[in-house]
Amino acid sequence: MHYDERMANKNTTPLLTTNQGLPVADNQNSLRASPLGPTLLEDFILREKITHFDHERIPERIVHARGSAAHGFFELTKSLETYTTAKILTEVAEKTPVFARISTVAGGAGSVDTPRDVRGFAVKFYSKEGNWDLVGNNIPVFFIQDAIKFPDLIHAVKMEPDRGFPQSATGHDTFWDFISLTPEAMHMVMWIMSDRTLPRSLRMIEGFGVHSFRLLNKAGESTFVKFHWRPKLGLQSTIWDETVKIAGADPDFHRRDLFEAITAGDFPEWDLAVQLFSQEEADRFPFDHLDATKLIPEELVPLQVIGRMVLNRWPENFFAETEQVAFCPSHILPGIDFSNDPLLQGRLFSYLDTQLSRLGSPNFHQIPVNAPKCPFSNHQRDGHMQMGQPKGRVAYEPNSLSEESPRESPSKGFHSAAVEEVGAKGRIRAESFADHYSQARQFYRSQTIYEQAHISSALIFELSKVEHPHIRKAIVGHLRHIEEDLARRVADGLGLAAMPDAPPTLAAVQDLDPSPALQILGKMKDTLEGRAIAILIADGSDGAVIAKMKKAIGTAGAKIKIVAPKISGVVLADGSLTEADGQLAGTPSVLFDAVVVVLSDAGANTLAKDSAAIDFVRDAFNHLKAIGVDSGGQLLLDKAAIDNDAGIISVQDMHAFIAAAKTRQWDRGV
Ligand code: HDE
């Protein structure tokens, strides 16, 4: 129905116009010389529309192109007044608006959500004193120690330039070649080969500022700080085979999960915690905290929770907000300052530069998602896409002509910590950065046996994709410095005839105390909140059992989806019709944390001939999930040749099922 008809019906439809406000009479047909004739150049409406369309894309981020974001707030719960003047860290109960974007690193904007990859964790705080961007990752360390190596790292991990693949994957020659020649990456390698890179949900990841920053108090004294985000739902990861299948079943798995949670009012939440330490304490650490390949174990410097972040509003427009948001580590506040971490120092340049090329104008700060919510003014003028209309004849400072023009303020303005710098200028890697293996060993030894097994399987998987044997061997050589047993397992998995030599080291490898806080399993929460459970049903299923399970699971806090052979639903045993939320072949069990199978015997016999149903239960079993069954459900499991164990639980024992659904059935082994 067009505008004229709608107006006749008293609708409030807006008029479709060109960008100049000219009402459009026909949006379906271009202007042609005759009904079957050529299109006329005169058709300025067609040209405006197509030209705009042709320019819809902007360059995607060179890294972190694929991301999902949401609005929310940060609320301070504990003042850091002793350490900083930043109001956002001293005004308890103040709610500061935020925009947070969580991303993968290696893939393009259209890549899947679930590759094995680091997740970016970037938060823009729209504080009263300006915008502060804390641009971190879900892993507390990084691959390299110096910014000058970043382009090489990224070129190595991205699609290989001659063939244009693999997209969003580390399992290929160029990545592992670079890594094998970059021993400083070994600690990060342990993290990326762990299940940290396979998050179950973006709501279940930690975030880390990675670098040390400084806090500055009124007296100008500075304290080092590391920032940590800790998810309220705890940590949870998927397992590799499951992750691979999720990528096919739902390429938008994480984005959809975040969208559905926020739009359902189930707002994701993180605590913000800090580690505070002085220069004297740092001098006693058995590593250099300015080296981004090192972390400070929580056992050494405890975390203090100082606030919380809640994401409660999905962006109205993906491009305007999630795509155009411009994070820069140099967006900082009075009372916070940078450290000399050489990686951070390089980032202070890179992000502003990249925004200029991505958004095309030095006025990108005027885009609503980037604009501070506090007043801002200076004498910068003009440029592409200038939206402001500054008044008056004065655009410089100092001046004597305008009382209104903005002035500097030594009391309110940003100050850098007055740190004394000494030493010879040069392209130097500090000796304190030389130990590349001790924290890698500490990480590996801190894991549970299940997590250690996943790390070795991941390495075998990745290195088996590498075509050059010398690269595979070189990595195993590095692993020998981390843990001989790990090296042996990987060498075995790769079928190496002999154990390769370990490369020379620059510093002795130390046995640091294990840090259980580095585990994922130790940080998994005993809850069904944020999780999803499927109930597989078919014609003839028992409605009473389904209702009972739905109630119990819903009360425990999980989202429930009914999965059936047809989306229109099933006819239950009592003849009533129940609709399905998902069709069996398109809704595999990999999308859920646990499953329930409620079937009549006839239903089980029919489903036993359907490979989607067999895969549904076999995958649930192999991915260590709890499976709730009635007698028909058990029959399907028998037909799928699944052996009973403690994780296969009768629907009669709902409490046992719910307890088992909160975790994985680790005893099944992977
Ligand atoms: Fe980034 N990084 N990075 N990075 N990074 C970018 O900026 C860069 C590093 C991180 O959701 C780019 O806007 C250099 C560490 C996140 O928009 C670029 C170095 C950490 C995001 C850039 C690093 C990060 C980026 C690309 C080595 C964790 C996405 C597009 C010195 C602490 C932010 C853009 C978003 C994005 C450069 C290393 C996190 C090119 C040079 C370490 C979360 O400027």
Side-chain angles (χ1 to χ4, degrees), residues 74-93:
F74 169 71
E75 183 180 17
L76 191 73
T77 50
K78 183 178 173 192
S79 171
L80 291 180
E81 200 167 4
T82 327
Y83 305 99
T84 179
T85 55
K87 289 191 172 139
I88 191 170
L89 299 178
T90 57
E91 295 184 345
V92 170

Side-chain angles (χ1 to χ4, degrees), residues 198-515:
L198 314 176
R200 155 69 181 85
S201 157
L202 301 180
R203 301 176 287 148
M204 299 172 197
I205 62 173
E206 292 183 325
F208 302 91
V210 177
H211 316 283
S212 295
F213 290 83
R214 285 176 186 271
L215 296 180
L216 255 81
N217 68 12
K218 280 198 202 84
E221 297 155 344
S222 85
T223 308
F224 286 116
V225 60
K226 291 251 190 194
F227 294 103
H228 298 241
W229 293 107
R230 304 179 51 162
K232 269 277 146 73
L233 292 173
L235 284 187
Q236 196 187 330
S237 290
T238 50
I239 55 181
W240 180 241
D241 182 70
E242 183 186 16
T243 316
V244 169
K245 290 173 175 166
I246 290 172
D250 186 359
D252 306 300
F253 187 62
H254 285 150
R255 186 176 288 172
R256 188 188 311 278
D257 169 84
L258 193 64
F259 172 83
E260 286 182 355
I262 293 175
T263 48
D266 199 1
F267 302 137
E269 189 172 331
W270 285 263
D271 279 338
L272 179 64
V274 289
Q275 285 177 300
L276 299 170
F277 55 100
S278 63
Q279 180 68 61
E280 293 67 41
E281 285 169 295
D283 291 341
R284 290 197 295 272
F285 295 158
F287 50 83
D288 196 328
H289 73 105
L290 297 178
D291 168 359
T293 68
K294 305 294 184 300
L295 54 80
I296 305 179
E298 291 180 31
E299 291 80 0
L300 190 60
V301 179
L303 263 61
Q304 305 179 40
V305 173
I306 60 161
R308 67 187 189 115
M309 173 172 76
V310 177
L311 298 182
N312 58 11
R313 185 162 60 87
W314 190 258
E316 280 178 18
N317 184 275
F318 185 87
F319 179 84
E321 300 168 271
T322 308
E323 193 60 23
Q324 293 198 112
V325 64
F327 294 98
C328 297
S330 53
H331 294 166
I332 198 95
L333 299 177
I336 311 179
D337 195 8
F338 315 111
S339 70
N340 283 351
D341 176 341
L343 207 60
L344 174 60
Q345 294 281 321
R347 295 179 72 204
L348 298 178
F349 164 73
S350 173
Y351 290 65
L352 177 58
D353 184 47
T354 212
Q355 306 313 349
L356 292 175
S357 103
R358 224 165 55 76
L359 298 163
S361 152
N363 292 315
F364 70 82
H365 63 283
Q366 296 180 7
I367 296 171
V369 73
N370 293 324
K373 296 194 195 297
C374 64
F376 60 100
S377 53
N378 54 42
H379 302 285
Q380 293 167 24
R381 291 289 184 273
D382 310 343
H384 276 300
M385 297 295 167
Q386 174 60 254
M387 299 293 151
Q389 294 184 44
K391 295 192 180 63
R393 63 196 297 194
V394 171
Y396 58 91
E397 201 270 346
N399 71 70
S400 64
L401 299 185
S402 165
E403 281 298 308
E404 280 83 49
S405 83
R407 306 285 158 137
E408 65 198 14
S409 161
S411 65
K412 293 190 170 162
F414 174 80
H415 291 279
S416 301
V419 184
E420 271 187 35
E421 304 292 356
V422 283
K425 175 176 163 184
R427 296 187 178 275
I428 300 157
R429 190 68 63 96
E431 270 175 37
S432 54
F433 282 32
D435 177 3
H436 302 322
Y437 301 99
S438 301
Q439 285 208 348
R441 175 182 290 178
Q442 179 185 39
F443 178 81
Y444 184 74
R445 290 191 178 166
S446 302
Q447 305 301 306
T448 61
I449 51 165
Y450 309 110
E451 290 165 296
Q452 288 182 342
H454 290 190
I455 292 172
S456 55
S457 308
L459 281 160
I460 296 164
F461 178 94
E462 295 263 322
L463 295 174
S464 298
K465 300 265 178 195
V466 170
E467 292 163 12
H468 293 82
H470 74 274
I471 300 177
R472 288 183 230 141
K473 284 190 207 149
I475 295 291
V476 175
H478 287 294
L479 297 179
R480 296 189 67 182
H481 287 308
I482 298 173
E483 185 72 275
E484 198 61 43
D485 180 54
L486 171 65
R488 209 170 306 118
R489 283 203 225 183
V490 176
D492 207 37
L494 294 173
L496 296 191
M499 202 59 167
D501 289 338
T505 60
L506 295 172
V509 188
Q510 307 170 62
D511 283 324
L512 303 171
D513 291 338
S515 166

Side-chain angles (χ1 to χ4, degrees), residues 147-160:
I148 201 164
K149 302 191 78 164
F150 191 66
D152 299 301
L153 167 73
I154 298 306
H155 288 171
V157 72
K158 284 247 174 195
M159 301 183 291
E160 297 188 8

Side-chain angles (χ1 to χ4, degrees), residues 50-168:
I50 298 280
T51 305
H52 195 279
F53 173 76
D54 292 345
H55 295 259
E56 272 178 9
R57 285 293 156 273
I58 60 173
E60 66 176 32
R61 291 163 174 82
I62 171 66
V63 282
H64 298 266
R66 169 91 189 165
S68 302
H71 295 274
F73 64 84
F74 169 71
E75 183 180 17
L76 191 73
T77 50
K78 183 178 173 192
S79 171
L80 291 180
E81 200 167 4
T82 327
Y83 305 99
T84 179
T85 55
K87 289 191 172 139
I88 191 170
L89 299 178
T90 57
E91 295 184 345
V92 170
E94 178 77 14
K95 285 191 178 168
T96 303
V98 299
F99 188 70
R101 183 173 181 274
I102 305 180
S103 46
T104 57
V105 179
S111 57
V112 298
D113 269 344
T114 49
R116 174 181 291 284
D117 201 356
V118 182
R119 298 305 187 280
F121 198 113
V123 181
K124 188 180 283 295
F125 300 80
Y126 303 94
S127 101
K128 291 197 279 197
E129 296 176 294
N131 286 355
W132 174 34
D133 293 354
L134 187 54
V135 194
N137 279 344
N138 76 327
I139 287 179
V141 291
F142 202 64
F143 294 93
I144 47 172
Q145 297 174 321
D146 191 310
I148 201 164
K149 302 191 78 164
F150 191 66
D152 299 301
L153 167 73
I154 298 306
H155 288 171
V157 72
K158 284 247 174 195
M159 301 183 291
E160 297 188 8
D162 58 345
R163 57 206 69 189
F165 61 83
Q167 162 85 277
S168 202

